[in-house]
Amino acid sequence: MTHPSFEFSHAITRRPSASIIDGLRAEDIGVPDLDQMLADHAHYVATLKRTGAKVIELPPLDAFPDAVFVEDTALCLPQGAILMRPGAPSRMGEVAEMEPALRAVYQDVRQITGPGHIEGGDILVTGREVLVGRSDRTDAAGVAELAEIVAEWGHALREVFTPPGVLHFKTDCSLLNEDTILSTRRLDASGCFEGYRVLHVAEGEEPAANSIRFNQYVLCPAGFPRTAEMLDKAGFDVVTINNSECAKLDGGMSCLSLRF
Ligand code: CIR
């Protein structure tokens, strides 16, 4: 049996560009270093490849400082791909840059046409449903438009809420297997994961929630040892990847790829 929510044959990534110094951030905690980010990105891509997946590596885009965070531009499902409509005006143009790569691998490519907004970072696909967190980037109209498309493909969609001050829904959670979720306590406290098995990241290690299960591995940002140990004890094969530079731009493991 295959599990399309965490078993993948492909990923799409985009190399960081020198313009990442201009990337969006909620708070200034330092200027991202391109060389370090390139090294971390190469480690990330190599880890995805190590699972046997094919990684489609797109070139850097100087005009879009946040373009390395490809996840926000689309949602990939077994039936087709859906191009998003980012809530951040500076990121709108990234979608057209992603479109040809998706058309090359998907027969059916749909598009959120608006007026609503929605970013991929707010969408968690589990073994049973598509969960979408409303946020500063994702509004009710965007969620409603997505709901119509995925309903056609037989997916249930449930709208939930990203906690205030948290960029994206998946900033605070990730899928570990069909029905197990890694979450911060603050997000789980909203009740959105009722019926799932939930593992909490360690207190003070909230950024570890932006991890990804990709085939046999759980890719975790480095520097959160108690969460990594908890996952290891729970039976997951954890690979830690330095994320210091993406963290300066509010990015984590999920943002760096589209997975299908
Ligand atoms: C932004 O603010 O849009 C980027 N600096 C970070 C995007 C992170 N993406 C994600 O969590 N899916």
Side-chain angles (χ1 to χ4, degrees):
M1 183 164 171
T2 59
H3 300 282
S5 48
F6 63 90
E7 288 177 354
F8 306 104
S9 57
H10 291 78
I12 300 178
T13 60
R14 185 182 291 287
R15 286 221 307 157
S17 123
S19 66
I20 48 127
I21 54 169
D22 296 320
L24 297 172
R25 65 208 81 177
E27 207 188 315
D28 200 349
I29 57 164
V31 180
D33 178 87
L34 179 63
D35 289 338
Q36 181 65 52
M37 197 189 277
L38 283 168
D40 299 338
H41 198 261
H43 183 199
Y44 180 92
V45 169
T47 306
L48 301 184
K49 285 184 180 166
R50 204 140 37 98
T51 72
K54 175 174 179 190
V55 181
I56 300 158
E57 298 175 76
L58 303 177
L61 287 178
D62 290 338
F64 298 102
D66 286 294
V68 64
F69 303 116
V70 286
E71 167 175 71
D72 296 317
T73 63
L75 174 65
C76 293
L77 290 169
Q79 295 83 359
I82 304 155
L83 297 163
M84 297 285 115
R85 190 160 185 272
S90 68
R91 303 200 57 191
M92 281 271 206
E94 292 175 32
V95 176
E97 299 284 351
M98 180 55 68
E99 186 173 351
L102 289 171
R103 291 206 182 274
V105 288
Y106 275 104
Q107 294 275 330
D108 199 350
V109 178
R110 311 284 179 96
Q111 179 138 27
I112 302 294
T113 56
H117 295 277
I118 182 162
E119 296 190 356
D122 282 316
I123 308 173
L124 183 76
V125 180
T126 76
R128 46 180 109 146
E129 61 186 341
V130 177
L131 274 167
V132 188
R134 292 247 304 260
S135 70
D136 285 351
R137 301 285 182 84
T138 293
D139 57 25
V143 180
E145 195 177 343
L146 179 69
E148 276 186 33
I149 299 170
V150 301
E152 243 186 84
W153 291 342
H155 296 274
L157 181 148
R158 185 155 61 93
E159 182 182 88
V160 292
F161 291 87
T162 302
V166 175
L167 175 61
H168 285 128
F169 186 61
K170 276 187 294 184
T171 303
D172 266 33
C173 67
S174 45
L175 188 80
L176 292 173
N177 64 32
E178 265 199 303
D179 58 4
T180 306
I181 285 166
L182 176 68
S183 176
T184 60
R185 281 178 198 274
R186 67 186 166 204
L187 177 58
D188 189 27
S190 72
C192 62
F193 299 129
E194 211 172 299
Y196 287 93
R197 173 178 173 230
V198 182
L199 301 180
H200 291 138
V201 299
E203 210 64 50
E205 294 193 350
E206 283 68 24
N210 193 338
S211 291
I212 53 165
R213 171 79 189 270
F214 190 87
N215 298 328
Q216 69 267 41
Y217 297 136
V218 175
L219 283 73
C220 256
F224 306 103
R226 285 173 294 139
T227 303
E229 193 190 330
M230 179 276 292
L231 291 171
D232 179 64
K233 283 201 175 124
F236 296 101
D237 193 347
V238 178
V239 177
T240 56
I241 297 185
N242 184 59
N243 189 55
S244 55
E245 306 318 297
C246 289
K248 292 172 184 167
L249 303 174
D250 308 320
M253 294 293 110
S254 71
C255 330
L256 296 172
S257 58
L258 285 169
R259 303 164 290 278
F260 50 99

